[in-house]
Amino acid sequence: MASVDSTGSNVFGRLRSGDLLHTGLVLALLLGVWSVGGLEVSTGKVSTLEAMNGSTVLLPCTYSSCIGIKNLYFNWQYNDNGTMYKLCEGMIATEGVEPRVQVEHERVEFVGTSKGNNISILLYNITFEDEGEYVCFARNPKEKNRNHSAIYYLKVVDQMKEIDNTLTTIIVSVVGGVIGLVILVMVIKALVVHFLLKDDEKNKECLVSSSGNDNTENGLTGAKADNKGTPKA
């Protein structure tokens, strides 16, 4: 009996271990899917913009979620040395529905659309005081209020830097000159070959005609000799 109980307890222990392992794998899979399908916010590949004082700039931002959205909340904030100032905020009820937006800055305009998952804004007549970090934030209640944010940095300048294209111009000129020289050499070579072939044809024609003339002259001489009468005895 003791041996049976021992075997039974060992089997039960292995079953419990297997259940725990199975549960762990399921949780890991769920966490993996959750991390892949979670809400993400992006300000594009280039997150820094240099713009002239007094101009209008676009601050881009898009959101994405593999499991969809419901009552997605978003806002734009300006980071002024650690103090956050809200520029606008809004909510998108569900996919395909245009957002309800409240703008809280006189020089800000919301230009996003739910069709492109776009929550971008325009900032008019920028000044040097507008330079700094702009934070695009979003929260999706459908993902247990999962949130994400992205930072866009604006640099304001008096005038745009002129790009020195001297080196590029030199490289293009050299490459163009080399290509032109190669084409000129090929044209000259083709002309030389063409004229040489013509000269060879002329020489062959001359040889043929001169050879024909020699044979004709020889034949006429022979004929004249044959036509002479045999002297009478």
Side-chain angles (χ1 to χ4, degrees):
M1 293 295 292
S3 60
V4 173
D5 292 340
S6 176
T7 304
S9 61
N10 289 336
V11 171
F12 181 71
R14 287 197 295 271
L15 288 175
R16 291 187 61 186
S17 299
D19 291 341
L20 290 174
L21 179 61
H22 178 71
T23 304
L25 290 174
V26 171
L27 288 174
L29 181 60
L30 289 175
L31 289 174
V33 172
W34 179 265
S35 63
V36 171
L39 177 68
E40 289 188 0
V41 174
S42 173
T43 54
K45 294 181 179 180
V46 180
S47 58
T48 302
L49 174 65
E50 186 175 286
M52 286 185 61
N53 180 31
S55 63
T56 298
V57 296
L58 172 69
L59 303 181
C61 187
T62 57
Y63 64 88
S64 62
S65 175
C66 292
I67 66 173
I69 63 168
K70 184 177 181 181
N71 294 328
L72 176 75
Y73 170 82
F74 66 90
N75 65 42
W76 273 95
Q77 299 182 72
Y78 172 64
N79 185 0
D80 185 9
N81 295 322
T83 302
M84 305 301 292
Y85 292 96
K86 190 179 295 181
L87 304 178
C88 77
E89 63 180 348
M91 181 176 293
I92 305 175
T94 186
E95 295 179 10
V97 176
E98 292 301 319
R100 301 190 305 271
V101 183
Q102 180 178 350
V103 177
E104 301 187 10
H105 192 286
E106 59 182 4
R107 289 186 288 114
V108 168
E109 179 185 353
F110 181 78
V111 293
T113 172
S114 61
K115 293 179 181 178
N117 295 350
N118 192 335
I119 49 177
S120 304
I121 60 173
L122 282 177
L123 182 60
Y124 290 96
N125 194 25
I126 62 173
T127 66
F128 291 104
E129 295 180 353
D130 293 325
E131 182 171 296
E133 288 183 352
Y134 290 81
V135 181
C136 179
F137 171 87
R139 181 174 63 243
N140 188 14
K142 190 174 181 178
E143 301 177 62
K144 295 184 179 180
N145 287 323
R146 179 185 176 91
N147 61 70
H148 195 258
S149 62
I151 297 175
Y152 199 81
Y153 187 83
L154 174 64
K155 184 177 182 181
V156 183
V157 296
D158 250 338
Q159 58 183 8
M160 303 300 290
K161 294 180 181 178
E162 294 184 2
I163 300 175
D164 188 5
N165 293 323
T166 304
L167 181 60
T168 304
T169 304
I170 293 174
I171 294 174
V172 171
S173 300
V174 171
V175 172
V178 171
I179 294 175
L181 182 62
V182 170
I183 293 174
L184 180 61
V185 170
M186 292 177 66
V187 170
I188 293 174
K189 181 180 178 181
L191 290 174
V192 170
V193 171
H194 177 70
F195 286 119
L196 288 175
L197 290 175
K198 275 194 170 183
D199 289 341
D200 288 342
E201 289 177 359
K202 287 182 179 180
N203 291 334
K204 289 179 181 179
E205 289 177 358
C206 290
L207 290 174
V208 170
S209 60
S210 62
S211 175
N213 290 336
D214 292 342
N215 291 334
T216 303
E217 290 177 358
N218 292 334
L220 290 174
T221 304
K224 290 177 179 180
D226 293 339
N227 290 333
K228 287 182 180 180
T230 302
K232 295 181 181 180

